[in-house]
Amino acid sequence: MKRAVVLGGSIAGLYAARVLSDHADEVVVLEADDLGEDGTGRGAPQRQQLHALLSMGHTHLERWFPGITGELVAGGARLGTGPEVQFYVDGVLKAPVPELRMLGASRPFIESRVRRRVMALPRVRFLHGRAHDLLFGDGRVRGVRYSAADGPPDTEGPPSELDADLVVDAMGRASRLGTWLLRAGWEQPPQRRMRIDLGYATAVFRRGDELPGTVVAHASPGPASGYQPTLSEPGAMVAVEDDRWMVVLAGYTDHRPGRDPADFLARMRRCVTPLHEVADRCALLGDIQTFHFPESRRRDVTRLRRFPGGLVAVGDSLASVNPIYGQGLTLAALQASCLSAYLRAGAAPHAPAWDYFRRAAVVVDAAWQLSATADLAQPHVNGPYPRGYRFARWAVDKLTEASVLDSGVNQAFMDVVHMRRHPKALTRPQVLARAARVLATR
């Protein structure tokens, strides 16, 4: 390719730019955000919330940016392994998984380092601009219409045009891709939605020596109790750079956490021991940040009969699932690897990217299946129920119970949670048989 254009410079756009730098003479990242000193911008409203980098996400981060783990740890991030990564169900610590690794760092910290790596690539340049439309011709997208974004939207000058062999939509949940396609006479991809009405809040605490053997602690309600907001509210904490703890608490509908520090601390004290310990011993730093996530949604391009060439989508513009499960950063990394596999197979950039979307659908399906199976157990979530839901729900509940007691079952469970295996791996006969033996002998 002569030129590829990436619309959006958040984490999914950065991954895409890195991949495209292997295949295009020039990669332009069109970013409307006013970038701060740390280079992370202000576009994603959830950026200051606690984000998890799952095990497979960490693997692909290191794949695309070799040595970045060491760079992050040298800058203050924490790398947790074995017992330093703790998962609780209904207040009970799950069986250990020695091979599990998780990186403790805030999203701005990770994103700023990734951005620096991408900006240093000789074929990549960043353009501060706001995309207004796609340019179409000969059955494909041939470029982007944009304007400079140096000032407020009402002061922008006349739009300019940027030719491209391939355009990547990395504009997130606010993507206008569907509108642009309709305007040009194309169908927009059908959307699947699941309303979950989730709210979560993140607070930052000064970290000392109170929990020296903990990097990640995650707590969730168990299958037997269901969702009990007064007894077992979902919560997690991670040791991050600058000697801080980041703590996130979540709740649904009327049980969403707010900004009141006293209420936040009270919720932490109802949670597992590590969060209780931080609430009692660590100083709260700054304000509590809240975020409302009304629904999971995904766009399924593979259900269309025709689609313009020269166009792909990544990140939240393709799929955005319940953030409680921490899949967002990992999905962006896996989609970038799907894009790489598609291009390395010799795909023509001007042709419809059906093979890319089929590859991406595999990882999106895995994330959607995992999150939807758990979300549909909430009493206020009323579907749509996928085929085989009752069996999947039963299997996950039994495996969750057994994973508290048995490291082998927990290894299989965490491989799926961390996107190292597809959810269908949980219904393998040998995994179910082991769980059954564990539960029969407890």
Side-chain angles (χ1 to χ4, degrees):
M1 288 178 280
K2 182 178 180 182
R3 178 188 291 146
V5 175
V6 180
L7 305 180
S10 192
I11 192 74
L14 294 173
Y15 271 118
R18 167 62 190 88
V19 168
L20 290 167
S21 70
D22 291 339
H23 300 273
D25 295 336
E26 180 187 29
V27 180
V28 178
V29 181
L30 187 64
E31 174 57 71
D33 279 359
D34 183 13
L35 302 181
E37 290 185 2
D38 63 356
T40 62
R42 297 191 307 240
Q46 74 274 25
R47 185 172 271 119
Q48 299 304 320
Q49 300 291 329
L50 176 61
H51 283 68
L53 185 63
L54 302 180
S55 179
M56 186 55 83
H58 185 195
T59 297
H60 282 259
L61 175 69
E62 188 67 27
R63 172 192 178 185
W64 291 113
F65 304 99
I68 197 168
T69 300
E71 179 184 330
L72 291 166
V73 171
R78 294 285 306 279
L79 184 61
T81 59
E84 295 175 317
V85 181
Q86 303 163 13
F87 283 80
Y88 296 78
V89 173
D90 273 347
V92 180
L93 181 63
K94 297 182 72 174
V97 179
E99 296 83 5
L100 186 61
R101 299 197 318 163
M102 288 192 74
L103 188 68
S106 68
R107 172 173 169 173
F109 185 76
I110 296 173
E111 195 169 332
S112 64
R113 270 60 181 180
V114 170
R115 186 183 297 270
R116 290 176 191 173
R117 289 284 194 102
V118 174
M119 292 178 103
L121 295 171
R123 297 181 180 180
V124 178
R125 68 182 175 98
F126 283 70
L127 182 60
H128 192 195
R130 183 173 286 107
H132 296 295
D133 206 347
L134 298 175
L135 304 174
F136 293 85
D138 298 324
R140 71 174 183 91
V141 173
R142 60 174 185 83
V144 180
R145 183 175 291 109
Y146 75 100
S147 60
D150 295 325
D154 57 354
T155 64
E156 294 173 354
S160 302
E161 294 186 354
L162 191 63
D163 291 337
D165 295 299
L166 183 68
V167 173
V168 178
D169 172 15
M171 295 182 289
R173 284 173 66 90
S175 170
R176 290 162 286 167
L177 180 61
T179 300
W180 293 346
L181 288 170
L182 281 176
R183 185 186 300 163
W186 297 84
E187 288 184 84
Q188 61 178 332
Q191 281 202 62
R192 191 183 310 178
R193 301 171 181 263
M194 178 178 289
R195 184 160 186 84
I196 60 173
D197 198 12
L198 170 76
Y200 55 101
T202 294
V204 179
F205 294 83
R206 177 60 59 200
R207 174 164 55 89
D209 59 0
E210 57 281 335
L211 292 167
T214 301
V215 174
V216 176
H218 182 279
S220 61
S225 64
Y227 178 67
Q228 297 181 354
T230 60
L231 297 177
S232 186
E233 293 151 316
M237 71 177 208
V238 177
V240 301
E241 70 280 358
D242 298 328
D243 296 322
R244 299 175 299 161
W245 293 109
M246 290 191 79
V247 177
V248 64
L249 299 177
Y252 296 89
T253 62
D254 295 335
H255 303 291
R256 299 196 301 264
R259 297 177 182 272
D260 178 54
D263 178 67
F264 194 93
L265 291 171
R267 284 174 176 250
M268 288 179 65
R269 293 186 176 104
R270 292 198 297 265
C271 205
V272 293
T273 299
L275 276 77
H276 192 161
E277 190 87 356
V278 169
D280 285 346
R281 298 182 57 184
C282 301
L284 178 65
L285 304 176
D287 296 330
I288 296 169
Q289 303 293 325
T290 59
F291 186 74
H292 181 217
F293 187 89
E295 63 180 13
S296 297
R297 63 176 74 154
R298 61 176 295 187
R299 292 182 173 93
D300 193 351
V301 175
T302 63
R303 293 170 60 189
L304 294 174
R305 288 178 297 177
R306 42 190 302 271
F307 193 74
L311 178 64
V312 299
V314 297
D316 283 357
S317 64
L318 194 60
S320 176
V321 297
N322 187 336
I324 283 295
Y325 311 112
Q327 298 165 316
L329 297 182
T330 301
L331 268 178
L334 288 170
Q335 289 163 2
S337 293
C338 291
L339 179 60
S340 173
Y342 167 70
L343 294 172
R344 284 189 291 108
H350 294 174
W354 295 118
D355 192 48
Y356 161 73
F357 286 112
R358 282 190 287 266
R359 292 172 186 268
V362 174
V363 295
V364 170
D365 285 344
W368 186 275
Q369 183 175 332
L370 184 70
S371 62
T373 300
D375 290 338
L376 286 167
Q378 305 296 334
H380 70 285
V381 179
N382 55 12
Y385 290 87
R387 181 182 302 175
Y389 168 74
R390 288 182 181 275
F391 174 72
R393 179 72 256 171
W394 173 85
V396 168
D397 284 352
K398 294 303 179 185
L399 288 163
T400 300
E401 292 181 49
S403 71
V404 175
L405 306 168
D406 183 81
S407 291
V409 175
N410 199 25
Q411 178 72 65
F413 191 89
M414 298 307 289
D415 279 347
V416 171
V417 170
H418 282 261
M419 301 194 74
R420 299 182 65 85
R421 298 286 185 271
H422 193 277
K424 64 184 179 183
L426 291 180
T427 58
R428 293 168 58 196
Q430 55 266 49
V431 175
L432 293 175
R434 180 162 183 161
R437 290 194 299 270
V438 169
L439 295 177
T441 58
R442 61 179 169 173

